[in-house]
Amino acid sequence: MTKTTRFNGWLLGLGALLVVLAMINLNTGTMALGPAAVWQWLTGHGTATQTLVLLNFRLPRIVLAILVGWALALAGDVLQTVTHNPMADPSLIGINTGAGLAVMLLIIYAGTSTSLGLAMPLVALVGAWVSTGLIFVLSYHPQRGLLTNRLLLIGVALSGCFSALMVLMTLKLSPDNYQFVMNWLAGSLWGTDWSYIGWALPWLLVGSGIILFRLPVLAAFTLGDSAAQSLGVNLKHQQLLLVSVAAMLAGVSVAISGGISFVGLITPNLARRLVGSRSRYQLPLAGMLGSCLLLAADTLGKLITTTTELPVGVLVAFIGAPYFIYLLIHGTN
């Protein structure tokens, strides 16, 4: 079996899995509708109640999980390729904590009782960009360009610093606001509204387009920095561009979904095992795996409990943390 045939087979299989997961997700929730009711609505014969529940609540959540999973997977794949580190993840460069710190500042001064509209994701995105920009400044060398090992280490250090600041700032939060912030940081897929998806979609499309357009450059990076430079790749320029776009994708995702970690860690490594390290196969497959992983985690969370919302980030962490330990052990052998 050729690599192209294997890639196409996995892509079709994951596409079918997405459809199955979406149908299960539509049928699951506080208000039980059942497959017959969902099919009735899909064929245009649903009631007003079915339309309200499925179109306004459940379908946006499904779309959000698919988009965020895709974006986080692509961001993780790019970071791992550029840094040559299979354990790189968007959360390691301070995106989650930078966005979380900005959101906490907004809640302290504006609260959650007022109608914030799109202020929450915009503030979260700005926080993610500021933290990433700070890491860039500290990791960039005028002659050698972006020092990838330093980028990851500084990202971890700043992430810990931001987390400590957030713990201190929780003392100023009311109980209700504290609960909201904790759910947001746990990755609760909070932006389940078509307006938030409409806000995020252009950013995600542009970022994904840039990365897919740069597939030849990413393929050169897999050969090593020296080989990429010998092929005519401007290392300093391309590193800054690709990491900036990865930060944008992860920042937008965190802004509308909360602090979800490990998606960008798991999916690129799994895609690499399935179809190899060629970027033209690995990157799209990682994106599909990310969508399936996040939608599966959200569906499982709804199946476990239909009375309260189980943050999807918690379920992903149960998978991601052991896999991260496995990579650490595997990498030392």
Side-chain angles (χ1 to χ4, degrees):
M1 181 184 295
T2 64
K3 189 168 294 186
T4 301
T5 303
R6 188 163 66 249
F7 167 74
N8 291 333
W10 278 111
L11 214 57
L12 289 173
L14 291 173
L17 178 60
L18 268 182
V19 174
V20 172
L21 289 171
M23 293 302 297
I24 296 174
N25 201 297
L26 280 174
N27 283 278
T28 309
T30 305
M31 180 179 178
L33 294 177
V38 173
W39 178 254
Q40 184 181 3
W41 176 76
L42 288 173
T43 55
H45 302 289
T47 64
T49 301
Q50 291 170 354
T51 300
L52 176 66
V53 172
L54 296 175
L55 184 61
N56 293 350
F57 295 104
R58 295 186 184 175
L59 191 57
R61 189 181 184 91
I62 292 171
V63 174
L64 180 67
I66 292 173
L67 291 177
V68 169
W70 168 274
L72 289 176
L74 257 61
D77 196 298
V78 169
L79 290 175
Q80 290 179 17
T81 301
V82 172
T83 62
H84 309 294
N85 190 328
M87 292 180 289
D89 180 79
S91 61
L92 290 179
I93 64 172
I95 291 177
N96 289 17
T97 50
L101 184 60
V103 167
M104 188 170 289
L105 285 170
L106 176 67
I107 291 175
I108 286 175
Y109 290 105
T112 56
S113 58
T114 58
S115 178
L116 297 177
L118 293 178
M120 189 79 72
L122 285 173
V123 168
L125 179 57
V126 170
W129 270 343
V130 170
S131 61
T132 305
L134 181 60
I135 296 168
F136 277 177
V137 171
L138 296 174
S139 306
Y140 192 81
H141 190 278
Q143 281 76 41
R144 298 167 60 190
L146 191 65
L147 303 179
T148 55
N149 289 333
R150 183 187 295 180
L151 181 145
L152 292 174
L153 292 174
I154 291 175
V156 171
L158 284 180
S159 182
C161 180
F162 292 153
S163 297
L165 286 174
M166 283 191 287
V167 172
L168 291 175
M169 291 170 63
T170 56
L171 300 175
K172 296 184 178 183
L173 294 174
S174 66
D176 290 340
N177 290 343
Y178 176 83
Q179 186 62 42
F180 177 84
V181 169
M182 291 301 103
N183 287 336
W184 189 90
L185 292 175
S188 59
L189 289 177
W190 72 275
T192 53
D193 186 279
W194 289 116
S195 61
Y196 292 111
I197 294 174
W199 170 86
L201 189 58
W203 297 90
L204 299 181
L205 288 176
V206 170
S208 299
I210 293 174
I211 289 177
L212 293 174
F213 185 73
R214 286 290 189 275
L215 278 177
V217 176
L218 287 169
F221 270 108
T222 61
L223 303 175
D225 288 348
S226 299
Q229 201 163 14
S230 67
L231 292 173
V233 175
N234 187 327
L235 286 181
K236 292 190 289 185
H237 174 74
Q238 294 299 329
Q239 283 174 338
L240 286 172
L241 173 65
L242 290 169
V243 176
S244 297
V245 175
M248 183 188 74
L249 286 175
V252 172
S253 300
V254 170
I256 58 174
S257 66
I260 298 176
S261 303
F262 294 115
V263 175
L265 170 71
I266 300 171
T267 53
N269 282 283
L270 184 55
R272 199 174 295 120
R273 291 175 181 272
L274 295 176
V275 294
S277 59
R278 292 184 64 181
S279 296
R280 59 178 296 189
Y281 299 126
Q282 178 195 329
L283 193 127
L285 191 65
M288 289 292 290
L289 285 168
S291 295
C292 288
L293 174 62
L294 212 55
L295 186 55
D298 184 55
T299 304
L300 180 61
K302 292 171 69 176
L303 289 172
I304 292 175
T305 171
T306 59
T307 56
T308 59
E309 180 181 337
L310 185 62
V312 64
V314 174
L315 291 172
V316 174
F318 276 122
I319 303 172
Y323 193 70
F324 182 72
I325 295 173
Y326 165 79
L327 287 177
L328 283 172
I329 297 174
H330 181 74
T332 58
N333 290 337

